[in-house]
Amino acid sequence: MSCKPSAVSCKLYVCICFLTTYSWRLISSKKRVVSGITTSGELHLGNYIGALQQFIALQSEYDGYFFLADLHALATVHDPEKLRKSIRSIANLYLACGLDPEQATFFCQSALPAHAELGWMLNTISTMGELSRMTQYKDKSAGNANDSIQAGLFTYPTLMAADILLYQPKLVPVGDDQKQHIELTRNLAERFNKRFSETFTVPDVLTPKQGARIMGLDDPSKKMSKSASSAANYIALVDSPEAIKKKISKAVTDSGTEIKAGKDRPALTNLLTIFSELEDVSVADLEKRYGGKSYRDFKSDLADVIIATLKPVQKTLEELETDPKYVDDILAKGAEKARPVAAKTLAEAKTAMGLG
Ligand code: AMP
Ligand code: TRP
């Protein structure tokens, strides 16, 4: 029998080569998005609606780089056990909420030293003035004397700029509270490109049209936050159905009895936004559905919608918790995929600044 390839197999080979090249081009021509979540506690509905839902909606259309911002967590968490637990629990939650490691690149920020290196380089082109104007820094340091404010809290946004610029993304999907940090990132990229040489893509921020700032259940004038002093402020993604029912029934409402959104009705606007985002129905339709009904009926249905959304997430979470190696492998593979991308930008930035 002849070992020479037949004409048919040659054609097949050419065809496979063409398809491989073409599909690779399709993948690599996808626009890139980058975002992260700080591993400093439990994730809540605000993170889910403002960030995770966006990541998951974008992952098939974009080349997504989504990471665990564990270096950022060091700005507030100095308890190693608490940090390890939060990293593990948020990694599991990303996956349980639907992040697909086959489509998106998922890793820990601390696995790539390039983040800290570029963070330092960007510190050297940032000013004390612009960093002191960051509202997150102002809120977190309020009431403390300069002597006791951690430098890491102050330079937090330059590390965030490094996280983003390393991957040359087109878009950065975040909640409302991070917009100012992305604006700073854009300024730093433009400054660097002008002062040294064209190195970084200047990314755009992407916030959801609705739900970019979910407010606290106990106080609708403040955002829902994992660092809130009371757990009544938020619904954690791991809260039990009983806890969810209790928190929603106790959630602050506005005066009056109408189930209506509006500038003068911040509490109901917030609850309606959560309902609308989780059930994919407009606020106007909900207002119609609950016209003439009581706060009690509305809240009871809202609690059911939240419980139904979180049920499959919590079920997957339970499974993932029994297999830590599975999640570790995904993070390790993600880091390996991110490494050359980050290394290329870092090398270009170093050369531009005169380091090599
Ligand atoms: P953090 O928990 O601060 O690390 O935030 C992770 C992501 O969730 C960021 O994109 C935030 O903008 C978003 N996020 C945090 N809190 C809220 C909130 N209350 N409403 C909407 N998005 C939020
Ligand atoms: N600082 C962000 C937050 O707390 C998390 C984060 C760190 C991030 N690096 C990032 C978000 C880069 C977007 C892009 O929400």
Side-chain angles (χ1 to χ4, degrees):
M1 203 172 81
S2 159
C3 286
K4 279 188 191 159
S6 69
V8 174
S9 61
C10 269
K11 271 188 197 149
L12 198 65
Y13 176 75
V14 170
C15 206
I16 288 170
C17 284
F18 175 78
L19 280 177
T20 316
T21 313
Y22 186 67
S23 54
W24 182 83
R25 281 226 181 105
L26 268 184
I27 292 164
S28 63
S29 67
K30 277 183 177 174
K31 286 190 189 133
R32 190 167 290 156
V33 298
V34 172
S35 197
I37 294 186
T38 309
T39 56
S40 55
E42 288 183 316
L43 290 194
H44 52 71
L45 272 185
N47 297 126
Y48 182 76
I49 294 170
L52 277 167
Q53 269 199 159
Q54 289 205 85
F55 301 174
I56 287 147
L58 292 166
Q59 67 183 350
S60 61
E61 227 183 287
Y62 288 82
D63 179 21
Y65 280 65
F66 301 115
F67 61 90
L68 300 163
D70 52 354
L71 292 176
H72 276 108
L74 291 178
T76 51
V77 186
H78 284 168
D79 172 340
E81 250 339 284
K82 188 176 166 212
L83 181 60
R84 268 184 215 111
K85 220 174 132 199
S86 176
I87 294 171
R88 165 93 27 216
S89 116
I90 297 183
N92 288 344
L93 269 170
Y94 261 81
L95 298 170
C97 287
L99 192 93
D100 178 0
E102 294 295 319
Q103 302 198 68
T105 309
F106 176 44
F107 58 98
C108 270
Q109 178 193 33
S110 65
L112 284 100
H115 287 244
E117 268 188 86
L118 185 63
W120 169 254
M121 287 152 69
L122 295 176
N123 269 338
T124 70
I125 64 159
S126 311
T127 68
M128 302 269 288
E130 63 195 345
L131 294 179
S132 351
R133 283 192 291 276
M134 295 293 113
T135 50
Q136 186 166 306
Y137 167 72
K138 287 200 271 187
D139 289 351
K140 291 202 170 164
S141 59
N144 294 319
N146 270 355
D147 271 358
S148 64
I149 300 171
Q150 286 172 41
L153 203 57
F154 188 61
T155 57
Y156 182 106
T158 49
L159 178 59
M160 204 171 141
D163 297 337
I164 297 167
L165 299 179
L166 275 176
Y167 300 98
Q168 312 277 13
K170 175 83 191 82
L171 291 175
V172 187
V174 283
D176 222 28
D177 60 342
Q178 297 302 314
K179 265 169 128 173
Q180 196 189 22
H181 289 157
I182 312 304
E183 196 46 48
L184 177 78
T185 301
R186 289 171 53 84
N187 292 341
L188 292 178
E190 279 165 1
R191 190 174 308 157
F192 188 103
N193 289 348
K194 205 161 155 216
R195 192 171 298 174
F196 301 103
S197 61
E198 204 56 42
T199 307
F200 299 120
T201 303
V202 181
D204 289 320
V205 68
L206 182 72
T207 50
K209 283 197 191 74
Q210 176 182 264
R213 184 177 289 258
I214 299 294
M215 310 310 279
L217 299 177
D218 57 346
D219 179 358
S221 70
K222 296 206 177 89
K223 69 170 184 174
M224 188 177 277
S225 164
K226 56 188 160 207
S227 53
S229 54
S230 158
N233 165 276
Y234 59 85
I235 304 264
L237 300 186
V238 294
D239 272 347
S240 66
E242 295 68 39
I244 294 170
K245 280 186 189 152
K246 202 164 155 200
K247 286 184 185 181
I248 293 295
S249 80
K250 287 203 167 150
V252 169
T253 47
D254 306 299
S255 54
T257 53
E258 267 188 305
I259 316 287
K260 259 200 158 324
K263 282 220 167 70
D264 54 337
R265 303 184 62 70
L268 258 293
T269 303
N270 190 42
L271 298 179
L272 282 161
T273 303
I274 296 174
F275 203 137
S276 158
E277 278 297 308
L278 300 185
E279 211 196 65
D280 201 13
V281 51
S282 72
V283 166
D285 283 348
L286 286 171
E287 287 173 339
K288 268 188 228 143
R289 191 193 297 174
Y290 288 98
K293 297 223 170 110
S294 67
Y295 279 169
R296 203 190 150 105
D297 290 337
F298 170 71
K299 282 180 157 185
S300 159
D301 288 356
L302 172 59
D304 287 344
V305 167
I306 298 172
I307 292 167
T309 305
L310 296 184
K311 198 174 167 194
V313 171
Q314 295 180 355
K315 188 168 177 291
T316 312
L317 202 59
E318 265 175 36
E319 289 159 19
L320 289 168
E321 278 163 0
T322 63
D323 194 356
K325 190 174 173 309
Y326 169 76
V327 182
D328 287 346
D329 285 350
I330 288 174
L331 290 171
K333 271 193 202 131
E336 283 326 302
K337 192 165 159 235
R339 209 176 296 284
V341 182
K344 181 170 182 287
T345 308
L346 182 68
E348 283 166 13
K350 278 183 159 175
T351 308
M353 289 184 106
L355 301 168

